[in-house]
Amino acid sequence: MDKDYVKWNGKPMDVTGRAEEEVRTYEFLNTLGIDFMTLYHPAAFTMEECERVRDRIEAPVFKNLFLTNKQHTLFYLLMMPADKPFKTKYLSSQLGCARLSFASEEEMVEMLHIHPGAVSPLGLRNDVNGQIRLIIDSDLKDSGRYACHPCVNTASVAMTLEDLLGKVIPATGHDFTWVELPQEPE
């Protein structure tokens, strides 16, 4: 394995120098009794960089998009396949709201305690006011495993989708809604 990629079962043995929010994420997963794998890696901002992570952590990496309405009064975290293009009109019509756009970095930091490039449903534990609605593309229903950032983009964690949806999300005080987003050519 490349020296830039280091893997552990569960919480890394050495978290020296790691972000506080990241370490809190590992503790949160441990508290829930989640069986997870952690991979430290170079910062991953693009889906191509995330693919290199996916190959090493042996779990699919999905797009996680933090969205809002025009008035910035409704917020959504969308999980969808990495290779599927995002078309706001299809999601907006299913949610019964005006067209959505990406939320600002300030909103992301305030609500999720996450910066761009590290959006993850694991940040929902910081949404103590329940302002964010988790939306999941139905194409992910049959995914056995799931990988995402632990609130920083220099690490990834992998767990079963069953644990994410059945233990992690409820522990954040959130629920989720399945949507069907079409696969369209870009």
Side-chain angles (χ1 to χ4, degrees):
M1 182 177 286
D2 187 318
K3 69 179 175 75
D4 291 333
Y5 295 84
V6 182
K7 192 179 341 182
W8 289 270
N9 285 319
K11 179 183 174 186
M13 291 173 34
D14 183 8
V15 292
T16 305
R18 304 304 292 190
E20 179 182 334
E21 191 61 32
E22 175 186 2
V23 175
R24 285 186 38 214
T25 300
Y26 301 136
E27 296 299 333
F28 175 68
L29 294 174
N30 281 343
T31 299
L32 296 174
I34 303 296
D35 181 25
F36 67 99
M37 179 180 295
T38 304
L39 178 71
Y40 284 171
H41 53 75
F45 290 100
T46 67
M47 289 314 299
E48 292 78 22
E49 291 165 333
C50 288
E51 286 300 310
R52 287 193 284 277
V53 169
R54 180 200 62 144
D55 293 342
R56 288 172 173 86
I57 204 162
E58 300 167 7
V61 175
F62 305 135
K63 282 183 193 172
N64 295 292
L65 306 176
F66 187 47
L67 307 167
T68 187
N69 64 350
K70 186 176 183 178
Q71 298 79 17
H72 294 261
T73 56
L74 301 173
F75 295 90
Y76 303 90
L77 179 59
L78 172 65
M79 292 171 44
M80 63 184 291
D83 61 350
K84 187 181 260 189
F86 173 61
K87 303 291 185 184
T88 185
K89 68 180 179 181
Y90 297 112
L91 180 60
S92 298
S93 67
Q94 288 184 57
L95 299 176
C97 64
R99 202 163 270 216
L100 300 170
S101 61
F102 292 99
S104 70
E105 180 173 2
E106 292 78 21
E107 292 164 327
M108 188 181 300
V109 171
E110 178 185 331
M111 293 180 195
L112 294 169
H113 301 188
I114 296 175
H115 291 275
V119 175
S120 162
L122 295 174
L124 288 173
R125 74 181 194 294
N126 296 312
D127 177 32
V128 295
N129 296 321
Q131 295 177 272
I132 302 167
R133 184 172 168 194
L134 179 60
I135 307 298
I136 308 172
D137 186 305
S138 61
D139 283 352
L140 303 182
K141 279 185 178 179
D142 296 327
S143 299
R145 294 189 52 79
Y146 172 76
C148 64
H149 295 306
C151 301
V152 296
N153 70 351
T154 55
S156 294
V157 294
M159 66 191 82
T160 66
L161 189 61
E162 182 179 345
D163 277 348
L164 177 72
L165 301 181
K167 295 178 182 177
V168 175
I169 299 307
T172 69
H174 290 77
D175 196 359
F176 59 91
T177 303
W178 293 105
V179 294
E180 293 188 24
L181 301 175
Q183 180 72 42
E184 277 196 357
E186 289 192 62

PDB file of all heavy atoms in Angstrom, residues 135-165:
ATOM      1  N   ILE A 135     -31.728  13.236   2.026  1.00  0.00           N
ATOM      2  CA  ILE A 135     -32.373  12.694   0.843  1.00  0.00           C
ATOM      3  C   ILE A 135     -31.400  11.693   0.219  1.00  0.00           C
ATOM      4  O   ILE A 135     -30.221  11.998   0.043  1.00  0.00           O
ATOM      5  CB  ILE A 135     -32.676  13.821  -0.182  1.00  0.00           C
ATOM      6  CG1 ILE A 135     -33.447  14.964   0.470  1.00  0.00           C
ATOM      7  CG2 ILE A 135     -33.393  13.269  -1.402  1.00  0.00           C
ATOM      8  CD1 ILE A 135     -34.796  14.602   1.010  1.00  0.00           C
ATOM      9  N   ILE A 136     -31.906  10.495  -0.140  1.00  0.00           N
ATOM     10  CA  ILE A 136     -31.030   9.458  -0.691  1.00  0.00           C
ATOM     11  C   ILE A 136     -31.599   8.942  -2.001  1.00  0.00           C
ATOM     12  O   ILE A 136     -32.769   8.545  -2.064  1.00  0.00           O
ATOM     13  CB  ILE A 136     -30.872   8.286   0.302  1.00  0.00           C
ATOM     14  CG1 ILE A 136     -30.442   8.797   1.677  1.00  0.00           C
ATOM     15  CG2 ILE A 136     -29.866   7.274  -0.240  1.00  0.00           C
ATOM     16  CD1 ILE A 136     -30.439   7.730   2.757  1.00  0.00           C
ATOM     17  N   ASP A 137     -30.787   8.932  -3.034  1.00  0.00           N
ATOM     18  CA  ASP A 137     -31.193   8.387  -4.329  1.00  0.00           C
ATOM     19  C   ASP A 137     -31.451   6.885  -4.175  1.00  0.00           C
ATOM     20  O   ASP A 137     -30.631   6.168  -3.596  1.00  0.00           O
ATOM     21  CB  ASP A 137     -30.092   8.633  -5.359  1.00  0.00           C
ATOM     22  CG  ASP A 137     -30.491   8.240  -6.764  1.00  0.00           C
ATOM     23  OD1 ASP A 137     -30.895   7.082  -6.967  1.00  0.00           O
ATOM     24  OD2 ASP A 137     -30.378   9.078  -7.670  1.00  0.00           O
ATOM     25  N   SER A 138     -32.563   6.420  -4.695  1.00  0.00           N
ATOM     26  CA  SER A 138     -32.953   5.016  -4.540  1.00  0.00           C
ATOM     27  C   SER A 138     -31.977   4.046  -5.197  1.00  0.00           C
ATOM     28  O   SER A 138     -31.983   2.859  -4.868  1.00  0.00           O
ATOM     29  CB  SER A 138     -34.366   4.787  -5.085  1.00  0.00           C
ATOM     30  OG  SER A 138     -34.415   5.094  -6.466  1.00  0.00           O
ATOM     31  N   ASP A 139     -31.120   4.520  -6.088  1.00  0.00           N
ATOM     32  CA  ASP A 139     -30.097   3.640  -6.680  1.00  0.00           C
ATOM     33  C   ASP A 139     -29.113   3.129  -5.628  1.00  0.00           C
ATOM     34  O   ASP A 139     -28.371   2.186  -5.882  1.00  0.00           O
ATOM     35  CB  ASP A 139     -29.323   4.362  -7.783  1.00  0.00           C
ATOM     36  CG  ASP A 139     -30.100   4.473  -9.083  1.00  0.00           C
ATOM     37  OD1 ASP A 139     -31.188   3.855  -9.193  1.00  0.00           O
ATOM     38  OD2 ASP A 139     -29.624   5.180  -9.994  1.00  0.00           O
ATOM     39  N   LEU A 140     -29.098   3.736  -4.455  1.00  0.00           N
ATOM     40  CA  LEU A 140     -28.168   3.322  -3.404  1.00  0.00           C
ATOM     41  C   LEU A 140     -28.751   2.241  -2.499  1.00  0.00           C
ATOM     42  O   LEU A 140     -28.034   1.685  -1.665  1.00  0.00           O
ATOM     43  CB  LEU A 140     -27.755   4.530  -2.552  1.00  0.00           C
ATOM     44  CG  LEU A 140     -27.129   5.702  -3.310  1.00  0.00           C
ATOM     45  CD1 LEU A 140     -26.726   6.794  -2.346  1.00  0.00           C
ATOM     46  CD2 LEU A 140     -25.957   5.254  -4.153  1.00  0.00           C
ATOM     47  N   LYS A 141     -30.034   1.914  -2.667  1.00  0.00           N
ATOM     48  CA  LYS A 141     -30.704   0.944  -1.783  1.00  0.00           C
ATOM     49  C   LYS A 141     -29.986  -0.393  -1.687  1.00  0.00           C
ATOM     50  O   LYS A 141     -29.971  -1.021  -0.635  1.00  0.00           O
ATOM     51  CB  LYS A 141     -32.140   0.688  -2.239  1.00  0.00           C
ATOM     52  CG  LYS A 141     -33.102   1.726  -1.791  1.00  0.00           C
ATOM     53  CD  LYS A 141     -34.529   1.349  -2.167  1.00  0.00           C
ATOM     54  CE  LYS A 141     -35.484   2.394  -1.643  1.00  0.00           C
ATOM     55  NZ  LYS A 141     -36.871   2.095  -1.985  1.00  0.00           N
ATOM     56  N   ASP A 142     -29.401  -0.845  -2.774  1.00  0.00           N
ATOM     57  CA  ASP A 142     -28.766  -2.164  -2.790  1.00  0.00           C
ATOM     58  C   ASP A 142     -27.280  -2.129  -2.478  1.00  0.00           C
ATOM     59  O   ASP A 142     -26.594  -3.142  -2.600  1.00  0.00           O
ATOM     60  CB  ASP A 142     -29.005  -2.838  -4.145  1.00  0.00           C
ATOM     61  CG  ASP A 142     -30.479  -3.123  -4.385  1.00  0.00           C
ATOM     62  OD1 ASP A 142     -31.200  -3.399  -3.400  1.00  0.00           O
ATOM     63  OD2 ASP A 142     -30.915  -3.042  -5.551  1.00  0.00           O
ATOM     64  N   SER A 143     -26.767  -0.975  -2.077  1.00  0.00           N
ATOM     65  CA  SER A 143     -25.344  -0.869  -1.721  1.00  0.00           C
ATOM     66  C   SER A 143     -25.121  -1.550  -0.376  1.00  0.00           C
ATOM     67  O   SER A 143     -25.775  -1.218   0.603  1.00  0.00           O
ATOM     68  CB  SER A 143     -24.920   0.598  -1.624  1.00  0.00           C
ATOM     69  OG  SER A 143     -25.091   1.239  -2.856  1.00  0.00           O
ATOM     70  N   GLY A 144     -24.211  -2.478  -0.330  1.00  0.00           N
ATOM     71  CA  GLY A 144     -23.913  -3.156   0.925  1.00  0.00           C
ATOM     72  C   GLY A 144     -23.057  -2.315   1.845  1.00  0.00           C
ATOM     73  O   GLY A 144     -23.233  -2.306   3.050  1.00  0.00           O
ATOM     74  N   ARG A 145     -22.108  -1.605   1.253  1.00  0.00           N
ATOM     75  CA  ARG A 145     -21.193  -0.791   2.047  1.00  0.00           C
ATOM     76  C   ARG A 145     -21.260   0.651   1.577  1.00  0.00           C
ATOM     77  O   ARG A 145     -21.714   0.939   0.482  1.00  0.00           O
ATOM     78  CB  ARG A 145     -19.765  -1.327   1.951  1.00  0.00           C
ATOM     79  CG  ARG A 145     -19.651  -2.706   2.602  1.00  0.00           C
ATOM     80  CD  ARG A 145     -18.244  -3.239   2.765  1.00  0.00           C
ATOM     81  NE  ARG A 145     -17.277  -2.386   3.407  1.00  0.00           N
ATOM     82  CZ  ARG A 145     -17.164  -2.188   4.729  1.00  0.00           C
ATOM     83  NH1 ARG A 145     -18.001  -2.755   5.554  1.00  0.00           N
ATOM     84  NH2 ARG A 145     -16.206  -1.426   5.224  1.00  0.00           N
ATOM     85  N   TYR A 146     -20.777   1.515   2.434  1.00  0.00           N
ATOM     86  CA  TYR A 146     -20.819   2.946   2.176  1.00  0.00           C
ATOM     87  C   TYR A 146     -19.542   3.561   2.726  1.00  0.00           C
ATOM     88  O   TYR A 146     -19.116   3.218   3.829  1.00  0.00           O
ATOM     89  CB  TYR A 146     -22.045   3.554   2.880  1.00  0.00           C
ATOM     90  CG  TYR A 146     -22.082   5.045   2.852  1.00  0.00           C
ATOM     91  CD1 TYR A 146     -22.432   5.726   1.694  1.00  0.00           C
ATOM     92  CD2 TYR A 146     -21.769   5.785   3.980  1.00  0.00           C
ATOM     93  CE1 TYR A 146     -22.470   7.109   1.666  1.00  0.00           C
ATOM     94  CE2 TYR A 146     -21.805   7.173   3.966  1.00  0.00           C
ATOM     95  CZ  TYR A 146     -22.157   7.821   2.797  1.00  0.00           C
ATOM     96  OH  TYR A 146     -22.187   9.183   2.773  1.00  0.00           O
ATOM     97  N   ALA A 147     -18.951   4.465   1.971  1.00  0.00           N
ATOM     98  CA  ALA A 147     -17.763   5.182   2.439  1.00  0.00           C
ATOM     99  C   ALA A 147     -18.008   6.680   2.331  1.00  0.00           C
ATOM    100  O   ALA A 147     -18.610   7.157   1.371  1.00  0.00           O
ATOM    101  CB  ALA A 147     -16.533   4.794   1.624  1.00  0.00           C
ATOM    102  N   CYS A 148     -17.551   7.401   3.340  1.00  0.00           N
ATOM    103  CA  CYS A 148     -17.680   8.856   3.340  1.00  0.00           C
ATOM    104  C   CYS A 148     -16.569   9.448   4.199  1.00  0.00           C
ATOM    105  O   CYS A 148     -15.854   8.731   4.892  1.00  0.00           O
ATOM    106  CB  CYS A 148     -19.046   9.287   3.856  1.00  0.00           C
ATOM    107  SG  CYS A 148     -19.355   8.860   5.585  1.00  0.00           S
ATOM    108  N   HIS A 149     -16.469  10.765   4.150  1.00  0.00           N
ATOM    109  CA  HIS A 149     -15.478  11.452   4.961  1.00  0.00           C
ATOM    110  C   HIS A 149     -15.973  11.596   6.403  1.00  0.00           C
ATOM    111  O   HIS A 149     -17.145  11.849   6.636  1.00  0.00           O
ATOM    112  CB  HIS A 149     -15.196  12.845   4.405  1.00  0.00           C
ATOM    113  CG  HIS A 149     -14.556  12.857   3.060  1.00  0.00           C
ATOM    114  ND1 HIS A 149     -13.401  12.177   2.786  1.00  0.00           N
ATOM    115  CD2 HIS A 149     -14.917  13.476   1.911  1.00  0.00           C
ATOM    116  CE1 HIS A 149     -13.068  12.381   1.517  1.00  0.00           C
ATOM    117  NE2 HIS A 149     -13.975  13.159   0.968  1.00  0.00           N
ATOM    118  N   PRO A 150     -15.077  11.463   7.374  1.00  0.00           N
ATOM    119  CA  PRO A 150     -15.447  11.700   8.780  1.00  0.00           C
ATOM    120  C   PRO A 150     -15.339  13.191   9.119  1.00  0.00           C
ATOM    121  O   PRO A 150     -14.654  13.587  10.059  1.00  0.00           O
ATOM    122  CB  PRO A 150     -14.436  10.858   9.553  1.00  0.00           C
ATOM    123  CG  PRO A 150     -13.220  10.871   8.675  1.00  0.00           C
ATOM    124  CD  PRO A 150     -13.735  10.898   7.261  1.00  0.00           C
ATOM    125  N   CYS A 151     -15.984  14.005   8.299  1.00  0.00           N
ATOM    126  CA  CYS A 151     -16.035  15.464   8.455  1.00  0.00           C
ATOM    127  C   CYS A 151     -14.753  16.177   8.051  1.00  0.00           C
ATOM    128  O   CYS A 151     -14.614  17.381   8.280  1.00  0.00           O
ATOM    129  CB  CYS A 151     -16.497  15.858   9.859  1.00  0.00           C
ATOM    130  SG  CYS A 151     -18.133  15.212  10.252  1.00  0.00           S
ATOM    131  N   VAL A 152     -13.807  15.475   7.468  1.00  0.00           N
ATOM    132  CA  VAL A 152     -12.603  16.052   6.854  1.00  0.00           C
ATOM    133  C   VAL A 152     -12.329  15.252   5.583  1.00  0.00           C
ATOM    134  O   VAL A 152     -12.688  14.081   5.500  1.00  0.00           O
ATOM    135  CB  VAL A 152     -11.354  15.997   7.778  1.00  0.00           C
ATOM    136  CG1 VAL A 152     -11.549  16.834   9.028  1.00  0.00           C
ATOM    137  CG2 VAL A 152     -10.987  14.575   8.125  1.00  0.00           C
ATOM    138  N   ASN A 153     -11.678  15.881   4.602  1.00  0.00           N
ATOM    139  CA  ASN A 153     -11.455  15.157   3.349  1.00  0.00           C
ATOM    140  C   ASN A 153     -10.071  14.514   3.243  1.00  0.00           C
ATOM    141  O   ASN A 153      -9.639  14.145   2.160  1.00  0.00           O
ATOM    142  CB  ASN A 153     -11.736  16.051   2.147  1.00  0.00           C
ATOM    143  CG  ASN A 153     -10.721  17.147   1.973  1.00  0.00           C
ATOM    144  OD1 ASN A 153      -9.872  17.369   2.829  1.00  0.00           O
ATOM    145  ND2 ASN A 153     -10.810  17.856   0.867  1.00  0.00           N
ATOM    146  N   THR A 154      -9.396  14.339   4.365  1.00  0.00           N
ATOM    147  CA  THR A 154      -8.111  13.646   4.378  1.00  0.00           C
ATOM    148  C   THR A 154      -8.235  12.269   5.035  1.00  0.00           C
ATOM    149  O   THR A 154      -7.235  11.643   5.384  1.00  0.00           O
ATOM    150  CB  THR A 154      -7.049  14.474   5.130  1.00  0.00           C
ATOM    151  OG1 THR A 154      -7.555  14.772   6.433  1.00  0.00           O
ATOM    152  CG2 THR A 154      -6.720  15.753   4.365  1.00  0.00           C
ATOM    153  N   ALA A 155      -9.474  11.824   5.193  1.00  0.00           N
ATOM    154  CA  ALA A 155      -9.745  10.486   5.718  1.00  0.00           C
ATOM    155  C   ALA A 155     -11.110  10.051   5.203  1.00  0.00           C
ATOM    156  O   ALA A 155     -11.925  10.893   4.799  1.00  0.00           O
ATOM    157  CB  ALA A 155      -9.740  10.475   7.253  1.00  0.00           C
ATOM    158  N   SER A 156     -11.332   8.755   5.197  1.00  0.00           N
ATOM    159  CA  SER A 156     -12.630   8.193   4.841  1.00  0.00           C
ATOM    160  C   SER A 156     -12.924   7.054   5.785  1.00  0.00           C
ATOM    161  O   SER A 156     -12.005   6.401   6.291  1.00  0.00           O
ATOM    162  CB  SER A 156     -12.633   7.671   3.397  1.00  0.00           C
ATOM    163  OG  SER A 156     -12.493   8.739   2.481  1.00  0.00           O
ATOM    164  N   VAL A 157     -14.211   6.826   6.028  1.00  0.00           N
ATOM    165  CA  VAL A 157     -14.634   5.683   6.821  1.00  0.00           C
ATOM    166  C   VAL A 157     -15.608   4.867   5.980  1.00  0.00           C
ATOM    167  O   VAL A 157     -16.356   5.416   5.179  1.00  0.00           O
ATOM    168  CB  VAL A 157     -15.292   6.086   8.162  1.00  0.00           C
ATOM    169  CG1 VAL A 157     -14.288   6.756   9.072  1.00  0.00           C
ATOM    170  CG2 VAL A 157     -16.492   6.981   7.948  1.00  0.00           C
ATOM    171  N   ALA A 158     -15.559   3.553   6.153  1.00  0.00           N
ATOM    172  CA  ALA A 158     -16.472   2.652   5.446  1.00  0.00           C
ATOM    173  C   ALA A 158     -17.222   1.825   6.473  1.00  0.00           C
ATOM    174  O   ALA A 158     -16.646   1.385   7.471  1.00  0.00           O
ATOM    175  CB  ALA A 158     -15.698   1.747   4.498  1.00  0.00           C
ATOM    176  N   MET A 159     -18.501   1.653   6.222  1.00  0.00           N
ATOM    177  CA  MET A 159     -19.372   0.866   7.101  1.00  0.00           C
ATOM    178  C   MET A 159     -20.472   0.280   6.230  1.00  0.00           C
ATOM    179  O   MET A 159     -20.546   0.591   5.039  1.00  0.00           O
ATOM    180  CB  MET A 159     -19.973   1.759   8.190  1.00  0.00           C
ATOM    181  CG  MET A 159     -20.930   2.807   7.655  1.00  0.00           C
ATOM    182  SD  MET A 159     -21.416   4.050   8.851  1.00  0.00           S
ATOM    183  CE  MET A 159     -20.009   5.154   8.753  1.00  0.00           C
ATOM    184  N   THR A 160     -21.330  -0.522   6.814  1.00  0.00           N
ATOM    185  CA  THR A 160     -22.447  -1.030   6.030  1.00  0.00           C
ATOM    186  C   THR A 160     -23.479   0.082   5.881  1.00  0.00           C
ATOM    187  O   THR A 160     -23.629   0.937   6.765  1.00  0.00           O
ATOM    188  CB  THR A 160     -23.116  -2.257   6.683  1.00  0.00           C
ATOM    189  OG1 THR A 160     -23.731  -1.855   7.903  1.00  0.00           O
ATOM    190  CG2 THR A 160     -22.114  -3.375   6.915  1.00  0.00           C
ATOM    191  N   LEU A 161     -24.189   0.057   4.762  1.00  0.00           N
ATOM    192  CA  LEU A 161     -25.264   1.019   4.561  1.00  0.00           C
ATOM    193  C   LEU A 161     -26.350   0.780   5.605  1.00  0.00           C
ATOM    194  O   LEU A 161     -26.969   1.728   6.093  1.00  0.00           O
ATOM    195  CB  LEU A 161     -25.834   0.900   3.146  1.00  0.00           C
ATOM    196  CG  LEU A 161     -26.822   1.985   2.741  1.00  0.00           C
ATOM    197  CD1 LEU A 161     -26.186   3.370   2.770  1.00  0.00           C
ATOM    198  CD2 LEU A 161     -27.406   1.708   1.368  1.00  0.00           C
ATOM    199  N   GLU A 162     -26.526  -0.463   5.994  1.00  0.00           N
ATOM    200  CA  GLU A 162     -27.509  -0.808   7.036  1.00  0.00           C
ATOM    201  C   GLU A 162     -27.179  -0.103   8.351  1.00  0.00           C
ATOM    202  O   GLU A 162     -28.067   0.438   9.016  1.00  0.00           O
ATOM    203  CB  GLU A 162     -27.536  -2.321   7.236  1.00  0.00           C
ATOM    204  CG  GLU A 162     -28.529  -2.787   8.250  1.00  0.00           C
ATOM    205  CD  GLU A 162     -28.538  -4.303   8.400  1.00  0.00           C
ATOM    206  OE1 GLU A 162     -27.995  -5.027   7.537  1.00  0.00           O
ATOM    207  OE2 GLU A 162     -29.089  -4.771   9.410  1.00  0.00           O
ATOM    208  N   ASP A 163     -25.891  -0.088   8.734  1.00  0.00           N
ATOM    209  CA  ASP A 163     -25.499   0.621   9.958  1.00  0.00           C
ATOM    210  C   ASP A 163     -25.689   2.128   9.811  1.00  0.00           C
ATOM    211  O   ASP A 163     -26.138   2.801  10.745  1.00  0.00           O
ATOM    212  CB  ASP A 163     -24.045   0.323  10.327  1.00  0.00           C
ATOM    213  CG  ASP A 163     -23.881  -0.982  11.084  1.00  0.00           C
ATOM    214  OD1 ASP A 163     -24.903  -1.555  11.535  1.00  0.00           O
ATOM    215  OD2 ASP A 163     -22.725  -1.433  11.223  1.00  0.00           O
ATOM    216  N   LEU A 164     -25.353   2.663   8.637  1.00  0.00           N
ATOM    217  CA  LEU A 164     -25.522   4.098   8.432  1.00  0.00           C
ATOM    218  C   LEU A 164     -26.984   4.488   8.590  1.00  0.00           C
ATOM    219  O   LEU A 164     -27.313   5.407   9.337  1.00  0.00           O
ATOM    220  CB  LEU A 164     -25.013   4.522   7.051  1.00  0.00           C
ATOM    221  CG  LEU A 164     -25.231   6.010   6.732  1.00  0.00           C
ATOM    222  CD1 LEU A 164     -24.297   6.886   7.546  1.00  0.00           C
ATOM    223  CD2 LEU A 164     -25.075   6.283   5.262  1.00  0.00           C
ATOM    224  N   LEU A 165     -27.870   3.766   7.900  1.00  0.00           N
ATOM    225  CA  LEU A 165     -29.281   4.141   7.897  1.00  0.00           C
ATOM    226  C   LEU A 165     -30.033   3.694   9.146  1.00  0.00           C
ATOM    227  O   LEU A 165     -30.972   4.363   9.573  1.00  0.00           O
ATOM    228  CB  LEU A 165     -29.968   3.579   6.653  1.00  0.00           C
ATOM    229  CG  LEU A 165     -29.385   4.038   5.315  1.00  0.00           C
ATOM    230  CD1 LEU A 165     -30.159   3.431   4.161  1.00  0.00           C
ATOM    231  CD2 LEU A 165     -29.341   5.550   5.210  1.00  0.00           C
TER     232      LEU A 165
END
